[in-house]
C-alpha cells in the first residue's frame, strides 16, 4: 500500500482579509498544500509561526506591527527550518534587496498566476530559491558596475560547482550528494561564496553569479 504524502503546511499573512481569502483559495486548489493558519499583521504572524510551525510562511511585505521583512529576519534567526516566501505587489528594487538580505527563500508578485504561486510554495518547501522573472530582470542590471563592466570575482573550482548546483535549485544535502562531500562542507563553500559575491542569501548569490557570467542565465 502506497504511503499517503504529507501536505505542505502553509501559514498565510496579509493585512487585507479579501486578499488573504483569495490567496487561500488559490493555494487550497492544490491537493498537496494546506493553509493551516492566517495572520492579519506581522506580530500575529510571528505568534502563529511559533504555534503551528508551518513548512512555508507566505508573507506580505507591508503589514502593521511588523513588516514581512521584519518577520523574515525574525524567522531566519529563530526558526531557520521554515521556508519564507514573500508575496507582494511591490517590485521596487529596495524592497527586493531588503527581502533578499533578510534571508527570504522566494519573492513572488501578487500578479503571478495561480500555478506560479503554487509552484513557488512547493519550490521553497524543497529548499529552492524562487524569484519572479520580472524581478530577476531588474536585479540583473543592478549587479553591474557604473561603467558597465563586470567585476572580476575569483571563486575556486569547487565553489563554482556549488554555485552552479545552487542555481539549479539543489538543496545543500543534494549538493553534498552530487559532489560527494558533507553538508557541513557545502555550508562552508556557500559561506565563502556569499562573502566573495557580497550576497546575503542563496537567491542573491545566484543572481549575482548570473550577472557576472559565472552561471548560466535562469529561464525567464
Amino acid at each position: 500500500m502506497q504511503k499517503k504524502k504529507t501536505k505542505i503546511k502553509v501559514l498565510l499573512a496579509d493585512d487585507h482579509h479579501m486578499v488573504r481569502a483569495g490567496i487561500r483559495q488559490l493555494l487550497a486548489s492544490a491537493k498537496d498544500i494546506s493553509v493551516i493558519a492566517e495572520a492579519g499583521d506581522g506580530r500575529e504572524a510571528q505568534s502563529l509561526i511559533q504555534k503551528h510551525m508551518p513548512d512555508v510562511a507566505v508573507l506580505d511585505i507591508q503589514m502593521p506591527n511588523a513588516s514581512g521583512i521584519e518577520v523574515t529576519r525574525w524567522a531566519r534567526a529563530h526558526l531557520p527550518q521554515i521556508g519564507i516566501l514573500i508575496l507582494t505587489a511591490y517590485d521596487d528594487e529596495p524592497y527586493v534587496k531588503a527581502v533578499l538580505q533578510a534571508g527570504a527563500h522566494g519573492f513572488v508578485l501578487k500578479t503571478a498566476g495561480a500555478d506560479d504561486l503554487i509552484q513557488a510554495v512547493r519550490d521553497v518547501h524543497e529548499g529552492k530559491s524562487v524569484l519572479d522573472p520580472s524581478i530577476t530582470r531588474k536585479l540583473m542590471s543592478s549587479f553591474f558596475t557604473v561603467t558597465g563592466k563586470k567585476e572580476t570575482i575569483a571563486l575556486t573550482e569547487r565553489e563554482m560547482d556549488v554555485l552552479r548546483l545552487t542555481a539549479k535549485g539543489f538543496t545543500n544535502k543534494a549538493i553534498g550528494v552530487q559532489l560527494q562531500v558533507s553538508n557541513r562542507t557545502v555550508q562552508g563553500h556557500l559561506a565563502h561564496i556569499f562573502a566573495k559575491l557580497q550576497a546575503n542569501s542563496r537567491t542573491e548569490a545566484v543572481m549575482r553569479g548570473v550577472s557576472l557570467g559565472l552561471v548560466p542565465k535562469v529561464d525567464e
Side-chain angles (χ1 to χ4, degrees):
M1 185 177 178
Q2 190 175 7
K3 190 176 179 180
K4 188 177 180 181
K5 281 189 175 182
T6 304
K7 288 189 175 184
I8 301 170
K9 296 182 296 181
V10 172
L11 175 137
L12 178 60
D14 193 297
D15 59 325
H16 295 96
H17 176 74
M18 293 302 292
V19 173
R20 286 204 318 273
I23 296 170
R24 180 175 190 137
Q25 187 174 13
L26 289 178
L27 294 176
S29 67
K31 294 181 179 179
D32 59 338
I33 295 175
S34 175
V35 178
I36 60 171
E38 293 183 40
D41 62 58
R43 193 175 300 159
E44 185 182 15
Q46 291 180 0
S47 176
L48 292 177
I49 287 172
Q50 285 182 305
K51 179 179 178 180
H52 296 283
M53 296 298 290
D55 298 310
V56 179
V58 179
L59 311 173
D60 186 24
I61 285 184
Q62 294 281 26
M63 292 188 292
N65 297 322
S67 69
I69 294 171
E70 291 172 309
V71 176
T72 298
R73 289 198 193 101
W74 169 84
R76 301 306 294 147
H78 298 92
L79 299 167
Q81 73 274 23
I82 292 175
I84 303 294
L85 177 64
I86 297 294
L87 179 63
T88 180
Y90 298 94
D91 64 348
D92 295 336
E93 191 174 306
Y95 278 112
V96 179
K97 287 188 174 181
V99 166
L100 297 179
Q101 289 168 357
H105 302 91
F107 192 114
V108 178
L109 294 176
K110 288 180 178 178
T111 52
D115 291 342
D116 293 331
L117 173 58
I118 290 169
Q119 190 58 50
V121 170
R122 290 171 178 158
D123 286 345
V124 167
H125 178 54
E126 291 173 7
K128 298 178 181 179
S129 298
V130 180
L131 203 59
D132 194 285
S134 64
I135 295 172
T136 302
R137 288 191 291 271
K138 281 191 174 186
L139 285 183
M140 289 285 288
S141 60
S142 71
F143 285 135
F144 289 93
T145 60
V146 176
T147 60
K149 295 180 180 179
K150 294 180 182 179
E151 303 169 52
T152 301
I153 303 292
L155 298 183
T156 66
E157 186 176 346
R158 185 42 58 96
E159 288 167 355
M160 287 291 294
D161 291 337
V162 171
L163 182 60
R164 290 187 187 110
L165 291 172
T166 300
K168 291 180 179 180
F170 283 77
T171 62
N172 287 5
K173 184 177 180 180
I175 292 173
V177 172
Q178 287 280 327
L179 301 180
Q180 297 183 330
V181 297
S182 69
N183 185 56
R184 190 167 186 173
T185 298
V186 174
Q187 291 175 349
H189 286 312
L190 281 171
H192 292 147
I193 291 169
F194 284 8
K196 289 180 179 180
L197 298 183
Q198 298 181 351
N200 293 284
S201 69
R202 295 166 70 94
T203 304
E204 193 174 5
V206 169
M207 290 302 101
R208 189 158 178 76
V210 169
S211 73
L212 295 170
L214 299 175
V215 293
K217 188 175 181 180
V218 293
D219 293 333
E220 295 181 356

